[in-house]
Amino acid sequence: MPLFKRKSGNVSNSWFHFAKAKPLPPDRRSWAGDTPSLSNGKASANGSTTRNGRCNEEAGFSPDRSNRPQSLLLNSELIKELADSGVSNSQIESPMRTSSRLSKTLLEILHDKEALPSFISFMESQNAGQYVRFWLDAKSFQTAAWTRIRTHSLNALAKSSLTEVSLAGSTSSPSRSLSSSSSPAEVFTEAETTLAPATSNATSILSPSFLSSSAMTDKTPAGETNPTCRPLASDTCNRLHDNQCQVNPPSSLPSAFSSTPPLTTTTTATSLSSTSSSPSYSSPCAADSRLFPSADMVEEQGLPGSLTSDKDRTLINSSNKHTDSDKSSHLGASQLPDTQLSNSSVVNDASGATAKDNCQDVKLGQITKDDGKKEECTDNSSSDRQVNKLGTKLLSSIEKDAVSIYVKYISLDATHSIKINDALRNETTSKICQEVGKVDPECFVACQDYVLEVMKRDYYTDFLHSVYHCKHQIDVLTSGKVYLADILHNDTAIFYFMEFMEQEGAVPLFQFWMAAENFQQHLSLAMGCYDGLQAQEDAMVLYDKYFSLQATEPLGFDDTIRLEVESNICREGGPLPDCFAKPKNLVLRVIEKIHFPSFLQGDLYYKYLSELINTVQLAHDLPQKVRRRLGSDASSEHSIGSQSTGTESISSRNTLLAADTSHFKKAFNKIDVDMRIDTILLNPDALWKRNNTGKMSFGRINNLGQFVSEYDPEPEHDKKKGSMFFRKRKDREKEQEDMAVQIAEMIIKDVTAITQGSSVPSNPCSAPEQTT
Amino acid sequence: MAAGPYNYSYIFKYIIIGDMGVGKSCLLHQFTEKKFMADCPHTIGVEFGTRIIEVAGQKIKLQIWDTAGQERFRAVTRSYYRGAAGALMVYDITRRSTYNHLSSWLTDARNLTNPNTVIFLIGNKSDLEGQRDVTYEEAKQFAEENGLMFLECSAKTGENVEDAFLDTAKKIYQNIQDGSLDLNAAESGVQHKPSAPRNALNTDQAPSKEGCGC
């Protein structure tokens, strides 16, 4: 605890702590039964006294010697202040509290429009992009197929009451498939994620309905027909454009923008003529999809909405049918209500089909569409029933979609094979080619599960450690809206936050929150099938530590909360998961209001950010490392070491700059400054390299001019060649010495010969001397 | 304990894992408070302790996350594994079942932490020699087969507790020096020089000089 005491002295808001320490006596009296107003008054008086001078502050330091009173008082004051903020604040916070955007499960990533691009990039970098793309295509297909089948069923309802039974059957299947695709918790998460788009969805549905109503007003009761060859051409176009849609699922946003002109053209064409309902069928759908950048998100929302819409349509249709039977209406009269039902249903379905229709509009272009309408006007006199054609078209388009997905991902010679085994392929084939002739909307569910398992087993963990995930995390953390939940539910971020809380001397507060959170989570995971007695024992451990009058780490909760916790623990049948919910949320608010803002502007947060950024940058340098490894291990290690030194200095400077910043906007600019620092640091390295190269080159010229050209192109090899040169130098010196010796001998011989030339008898004596 | 709050060069994150009742929380308490806690209540989820040690002349702060050993908390405590630089895996030498479960704990540790995480095997309650149920040689062999460091400790007497934490830190520090542990990765479980502005000024110049030297 001496460590804790010193930290109290060093924390930047030490004055704040002293101020909080002052109300010690009033709180103790409140335990004895004093009224709250009385203690508040005294606290205020003591607060003003503290400001009078240092001597009071020093005197106030004495009560701080005990850890327990300080912790109590700090929280008592904060709790009273925060209690006034009321429940609405808690409600606002609750949607964000249960998960972190920095760490998502695989299914959460696949449903998150922000995280999905990172994941797709990662999968493609691993040459496994087909898995995630298949999963997205299959999901779109399933939703679209159900929508079109419902549309077809609504048409059939006009003919037979028996069809209503099959409609009820088909409406229950979507619910089942939705449940099977994700757990209840994840469904809830998806609902939260798509809350805003759902609102937009509700608004946008009105516009297409209005367009549809206007279009219908212009229609005549006369029967309308299509030529026999028309459906074939249309189906061909559908298939072509479906493929184009599937190739780029994530890029629906540009499509939405570029499709604006066709809307105007379509509306004009519709209002000018009383053509068949096919144009009005596509234009409202196109309008739907234009307002949604993400088809997947729309599909998620469309499915549940469509279910409700289905029930309404069934009721309305029953009523209409009753009316028809009473009036004994003729064929012509009954056809109009069918058309209205059909188009109304299509308009209200925000489904994958609308995404594909949108793509059709984009690809066909303005001219082609005009030509199509003219053809339909010409063939208006045909006697075929429009309703049947529409139904047939819908069913055949489902088949086309299924076949195209199969050919692309599943078949033996698929261009983007997901490599499933024969059993799974046969199962899928049998569902596509059913005896009845209809495609099972869930024909790809088994393959989706397989692909999901493959991605989870082989790629998900690597993704979490990859640069792409780091980039996504950086985007979240620098978006300007970081929530406490993002930090608390991410294990890496919590590492830095815990260090911060310890520096603030608030570890017990945070530790209680973690314990209560874990208590709640593990009981919730048990789904109500836990041992009540055991849960009660767990709860008593927390109570004895934090709430009891003899608590080992009291936090200063008031009697009201303590009594509530006691009753929750002693509940018959054992405590519920939310046993500590109230104190836990209270502590969370204290952390969020007092400590979290400081954390976001502190050293540790920017340390965390800078490390994420460095991870991304190091990956960018990775290709260069590969080249260096080809050279030699020694130089490679040297280079890596050099980079390491650079990044350390980057971290140091980041820390320095972070300390100088007080505003968040400045902090955001500082991140840009960090990037500039990196750029600046790169220059010295370049200069350093040039200098070394120059020196080496100069050295070569001085000693041996003939070797200069060999060394310039490859600076990294200078050291090795230098050592070789040194060896050569030694050899040459030896050679020169030998030559010098030989020359000396020749000179000696000449001189000796001249000197002793006159005396013949002495020659034999001179020769031995020379030899010696 | 005399060191100031900012007087350290590194922060290492540790996790302590193992069956319930093996003495994880007592080990943590013995290491941070230097005394034995006889009647230790079971851990709810995770608890937290810190201490500053010295390795090779460097002040290192250990941020130790003590997890609950009960099976029902396992799904919850797994979320604290990622980003740990060191993992202390504890068993009770007087209960063979706790030793038999080590493979499962090791699998969790390997799957949920970084490849560079240092895993230290601890056989606790070495003071209860008379009730020994797992021999030192057997555990030593298990440790060697799995590439773990190993020591037998006693949270009660304090024997080898200090060494276990210190040896883990030395190994981590060595990995940093070798370069096998990427100091700048956000999930390495290591924080480097999270110093106050004054220290930042001092350390800002040193790296520059080193750069010039290169």
Side-chain angles (χ1 to χ4, degrees):
Chain A
M1 289 314 166
L3 181 62
F4 177 81
K5 193 195 307 184
R6 288 195 182 85
K7 281 184 183 175
S8 300
N10 286 313
V11 169
S12 60
N13 53 348
S14 59
W15 182 88
F16 182 73
H17 281 276
F18 289 140
K20 293 302 175 183
K22 281 299 181 178
L24 170 61
D27 272 18
R28 280 183 178 173
R29 292 175 192 174
S30 71
W31 292 346
D34 282 0
T35 60
S37 60
L38 179 59
S39 62
N40 282 335
K42 292 188 176 180
S44 176
N46 285 324
S48 62
T49 303
T50 303
R51 296 192 183 94
N52 288 340
R54 284 248 176 183
C55 55
N56 286 316
E57 184 174 334
E58 290 174 358
F61 184 77
S62 179
D64 272 342
R65 295 196 178 277
S66 173
N67 177 31
R68 178 167 176 160
Q70 168 158 347
S71 182
L72 280 167
L73 297 171
L74 171 66
N75 289 288
S76 294
E77 287 298 310
L78 294 176
I79 289 170
K80 287 174 182 175
E81 292 174 9
L82 291 172
D84 297 336
S85 62
V87 180
S88 61
N89 198 10
S90 177
Q91 287 174 353
I92 293 172
E93 294 170 13
S94 61
M96 301 302 300
R97 190 174 295 161
T98 56
S99 66
S100 168
R101 294 176 297 169
L102 299 180
S103 49
K104 293 174 178 289
T105 65
L106 180 55
L107 275 175
E108 282 172 351
I109 289 174
L110 291 171
H111 289 104
D112 182 352
K113 63 178 178 180
E114 292 177 358
L116 187 55
S118 298
F119 187 61
I120 291 177
S121 299
F122 168 78
M123 294 296 281
E124 290 185 342
S125 72
Q126 306 287 314
N127 295 319
Q130 69 273 17
Y131 289 112
V132 62
R133 294 193 183 283
F134 166 77
W135 192 90
L136 294 170
D137 286 353
K139 191 164 85 72
S140 298
F141 166 81
Q142 186 177 346
T143 309
W146 279 119
T147 303
R148 281 177 275 187
I149 286 183
R150 270 197 311 275
T151 303
H152 179 64
S153 298
L154 285 173
N155 296 334
L157 277 177
K159 307 170 186 177
S160 168
S161 61
L162 290 178
T163 311
E164 294 183 26
V165 176
S166 66
L167 175 62
S170 66
T171 52
S172 64
S173 294
S175 300
R176 181 166 57 84
S177 68
L178 182 63
S179 300
S180 67
S181 66
S182 58
S183 69
E186 282 155 350
V187 171
F188 182 71
T189 303
E190 293 169 21
E192 287 181 331
T193 305
T194 59
L195 189 62
T199 305
S200 303
N201 190 5
T203 303
S204 67
I205 286 179
L206 297 177
S207 300
S209 297
F210 184 76
L211 285 174
S212 178
S213 299
S214 299
M216 289 181 182
T217 305
D218 297 332
K219 293 189 190 317
T220 60
E224 296 164 346
T225 60
N226 289 315
T228 305
C229 61
R230 174 61 180 172
L232 291 177
S234 179
D235 290 342
T236 304
C237 292
N238 286 345
R239 181 172 180 180
L240 175 64
H241 299 135
D242 287 344
N243 284 325
Q244 287 168 327
C245 294
Q246 289 149 21
V247 168
N248 299 298
S251 62
S252 56
L253 180 58
S255 299
F257 287 138
S258 62
S259 65
T260 302
L263 172 60
T264 305
T265 303
T266 303
T267 304
T268 305
T270 303
S271 63
L272 289 176
S273 66
S274 61
T275 58
S276 68
S277 61
S278 290
S280 61
Y281 166 78
S282 60
S283 62
C285 297
D288 273 342
S289 59
R290 282 175 197 133
L291 297 171
F292 296 102
S294 171
D296 292 336
M297 191 179 296
V298 173
E299 287 157 9
E300 284 300 305
Q301 284 301 303
L303 193 54
S306 298
L307 292 174
T308 305
S309 178
D310 254 352
K311 295 177 181 177
D312 294 339
R313 294 290 168 274
T314 303
L315 292 175
I316 294 172
N317 190 73
S318 298
S319 176
N320 286 342
K321 186 176 181 183
H322 185 69
T323 304
D324 290 348
S325 64
D326 287 345
K327 294 183 178 179
S328 303
S329 61
H330 58 82
L331 180 63
S334 65
Q335 187 172 359
L336 181 58
D338 293 345
T339 304
Q340 289 173 349
L341 269 180
S342 172
N343 286 283
S344 179
S345 172
V346 171
V347 167
N348 284 286
D349 288 337
S351 65
T354 61
K356 292 183 169 57
D357 289 333
N358 178 41
C359 293
Q360 291 173 27
D361 289 338
V362 175
K363 304 302 178 184
L364 283 171
Q366 184 170 332
I367 297 174
T368 305
K369 197 152 190 71
D370 286 344
D371 291 344
K373 294 185 187 303
K374 290 176 182 175
E375 289 181 13
E376 288 165 0
C377 293
T378 305
D379 298 322
N380 208 18
S381 61
S382 176
S383 62
D384 289 344
R385 296 192 61 185
Q386 178 271 331
V387 172
N388 281 334
K389 289 300 176 183
L390 182 61
T392 305
K393 180 179 174 182
L394 287 173
L395 292 181
S396 63
S397 68
I398 293 175
E399 186 177 345
K400 300 295 181 186
D401 292 347
V403 171
S404 67
I405 292 178
Y406 181 90
V407 167
K408 184 178 181 184
Y409 296 109
I410 296 175
S411 68
L412 287 170
D413 54 347
T415 57
H416 297 76
S417 174
I418 55 174
K419 297 157 188 161
I420 58 174
N421 55 33
D422 287 340
L424 200 53
R425 180 179 300 108
N426 291 337
E427 180 187 341
T428 306
T429 304
S430 65
K431 286 184 175 177
I432 294 177
C433 306
Q434 285 179 341
E435 294 179 0
V436 187
K438 297 182 179 179
V439 178
D440 182 356
E442 298 189 353
C443 59
F444 293 123
V445 168
C447 295
Q448 275 183 282
D449 293 340
Y450 165 81
V451 164
L452 199 65
E453 190 61 32
V454 168
M455 290 195 288
K456 184 177 293 184
R457 182 184 71 238
D458 297 338
Y459 300 101
Y460 178 62
T461 303
D462 288 339
F463 170 69
L464 292 182
H465 292 92
S466 71
V467 174
Y468 302 91
H469 189 235
C470 264
K471 285 180 178 175
H472 172 63
Q473 286 181 324
I474 293 172
D475 290 343
V476 172
L477 292 172
T478 57
S479 65
K481 288 185 178 178
V482 183
Y483 300 101
L484 183 55
D486 293 333
I487 302 295
L488 297 186
H489 293 93
N490 177 256
D491 43 31
T492 305
I494 205 173
F495 175 38
Y496 293 89
F497 189 67
M498 176 59 84
E499 175 61 19
F500 172 81
M501 291 297 275
E502 200 193 11
Q503 292 177 6
E504 295 285 301
V507 165
L509 207 63
F510 189 53
Q511 189 145 255
F512 164 73
W513 179 85
M514 279 200 298
E517 174 76 6
N518 290 323
F519 174 85
Q520 180 172 346
Q521 271 190 33
H522 97 280
L523 289 189
S524 299
L525 288 175
M527 300 292 185
C529 302
Y530 55 84
D531 184 349
L533 193 61
Q534 196 172 53
Q536 197 172 63
E537 290 176 1
D538 292 345
M540 283 305 296
V541 169
L542 294 184
Y543 178 84
D544 287 337
K545 186 171 184 181
Y546 299 110
F547 293 92
S548 165
L549 293 178
Q550 302 87 31
T552 55
E553 283 193 56
L555 299 178
F557 290 110
D558 58 24
D559 288 346
T560 305
I561 292 182
R562 181 167 57 79
L563 291 174
E564 184 173 340
V565 167
E566 286 175 0
S567 65
N568 288 343
I569 294 176
C570 298
R571 173 184 168 276
E572 185 179 358
L576 295 172
D578 60 350
C579 176
F580 296 99
K582 189 167 184 178
K584 179 167 83 79
N585 291 338
L586 193 56
V587 166
L588 191 64
R589 260 187 277 151
V590 168
I591 293 174
E592 185 164 26
K593 287 187 175 296
I594 305 296
H595 303 290
F596 190 54
S598 303
F599 172 71
L600 290 181
Q601 299 177 21
D603 299 357
L604 283 159
Y605 182 64
Y606 293 111
K607 185 77 176 66
Y608 175 45
L609 270 181
S610 67
E611 288 194 353
L612 286 173
I613 293 170
N614 288 335
T615 302
V616 174
Q617 287 168 359
L618 286 176
H620 287 158
D621 295 337
L622 192 59
Q624 299 175 20
K625 288 184 182 178
V626 174
R627 288 182 211 161
R628 286 171 188 153
R629 288 196 197 108
L630 295 177
S632 69
D633 291 342
S635 63
S636 177
E637 289 173 7
H638 178 70
S639 301
I640 294 172
S642 178
Q643 281 185 11
S644 179
T645 302
T647 51
E648 286 179 10
S649 71
I650 291 170
S651 300
S652 300
R653 296 190 185 193
N654 290 345
T655 304
L656 172 60
L657 291 169
D660 298 334
T661 307
S662 59
H663 280 300
F664 190 87
K665 288 185 177 179
K666 289 183 178 178
F668 188 78
N669 292 333
K670 191 187 65 56
I671 294 170
D672 295 334
V673 173
D674 293 352
M675 296 304 184
R676 290 181 209 136
I677 292 175
D678 297 340
T679 304
I680 294 169
L681 285 173
L682 290 176
N683 290 336
D685 291 340
L687 292 174
W688 169 77
K689 289 181 179 178
R690 283 190 215 134
N691 290 338
N692 285 340
T693 304
K695 289 180 179 179
M696 288 181 168
S697 182
F698 180 75
R700 300 298 173 279
I701 291 172
N702 272 350
N703 291 286
L704 291 169
Q706 58 183 339
F707 293 102
V708 170
S709 60
E710 294 181 13
Y711 304 133
D712 280 340
E714 293 179 331
E716 288 183 353
H717 292 279
D718 286 341
K719 291 183 178 179
K720 283 193 169 181
K721 298 208 168 179
S723 64
M724 292 173 66
F725 170 72
F726 186 71
R727 291 176 184 176
K728 288 181 179 179
R729 193 172 176 181
K730 282 188 175 181
D731 292 342
R732 281 172 188 170
E733 285 180 355
K734 289 182 180 179
E735 290 177 3
Q736 288 176 3
E737 287 177 358
D738 291 343
M739 291 176 67
V741 170
Q742 291 174 10
I743 294 171
E745 288 177 354
M746 291 173 67
I747 294 173
I748 292 170
K749 284 181 181 178
D750 291 347
V751 171
T752 304
I754 295 170
T755 304
Q756 300 174 0
S758 60
S759 174
V760 175
S762 64
N763 267 343
C765 298
S766 299
E769 291 178 0
Q770 290 180 5
T771 304
T772 306
Chain B
M1 299 301 289
Y6 297 104
N7 188 18
Y8 44 79
S9 306
Y10 297 90
I11 304 177
F12 293 171
K13 175 182 175 181
Y14 281 16
I15 54 170
I16 308 183
I17 60 178
D19 274 6
M20 64 175 293
V22 297
K24 298 187 294 297
S25 295
C26 291
L27 277 171
L28 173 60
H29 198 260
Q30 174 66 249
F31 180 66
T32 58
E33 309 294 336
K34 296 189 191 295
K35 58 186 178 183
F36 180 64
M37 189 166 44
D39 55 345
C40 185
H42 64 278
T43 307
I44 309 296
V46 65
E47 289 193 1
F48 176 79
T50 63
R51 184 180 150 181
I52 295 178
I53 61 174
E54 184 170 326
V55 170
Q58 298 282 339
K59 291 278 200 297
I60 298 177
K61 182 176 189 179
L62 303 182
Q63 192 187 95
I64 306 162
W65 298 69
D66 173 28
T67 64
Q70 286 89 344
E71 191 62 29
R72 64 179 184 275
F73 283 108
R74 197 149 172 175
V76 173
T77 56
R78 277 200 186 97
S79 62
Y80 299 102
Y81 281 36
R82 193 177 308 281
L88 306 180
M89 195 164 61
V90 187
Y91 72 96
D92 181 348
I93 68 166
T94 69
R95 285 195 288 147
R96 171 159 283 275
S97 64
T98 66
Y99 173 78
N100 292 341
H101 294 158
L102 288 179
S103 295
S104 174
W105 288 110
L106 182 60
T107 302
D108 268 5
R110 285 268 158 78
N111 288 340
L112 297 168
T113 61
N114 289 323
N116 292 321
T117 301
V118 175
I119 304 181
F120 202 107
L121 178 62
I122 293 179
N124 193 27
K125 308 191 185 182
S126 61
D127 55 295
L128 303 177
E129 186 64 34
Q131 309 174 37
R132 178 182 284 273
D133 207 5
V134 181
T135 64
Y136 177 90
E137 289 73 22
E138 182 180 0
K140 181 65 176 176
Q141 183 180 349
F142 174 86
E144 287 174 351
E145 288 170 358
N146 291 277
L148 316 175
M149 305 169 73
F150 173 61
L151 269 182
E152 286 193 344
C153 310
S154 169
K156 192 167 195 177
T157 66
E159 179 198 6
N160 279 348
V161 171
E162 196 94 357
D163 291 339
F165 285 84
L166 277 171
D167 288 355
T168 308
K170 287 175 184 175
K171 183 65 176 175
I172 296 170
Y173 186 74
Q174 179 183 330
N175 286 346
I176 293 174
Q177 297 301 305
D178 292 350
S180 61
L181 178 61
D182 188 354
L183 195 58
N184 298 289
E187 292 189 348
S188 64
V190 174
Q191 296 178 29
H192 182 53
K193 296 178 179 174
S195 45
R198 287 176 276 170
N199 293 343
L201 278 171
N202 295 333
T203 56
D204 188 36
Q205 296 173 2
S208 300
K209 292 181 179 178
E210 293 176 7
C212 295
C214 294

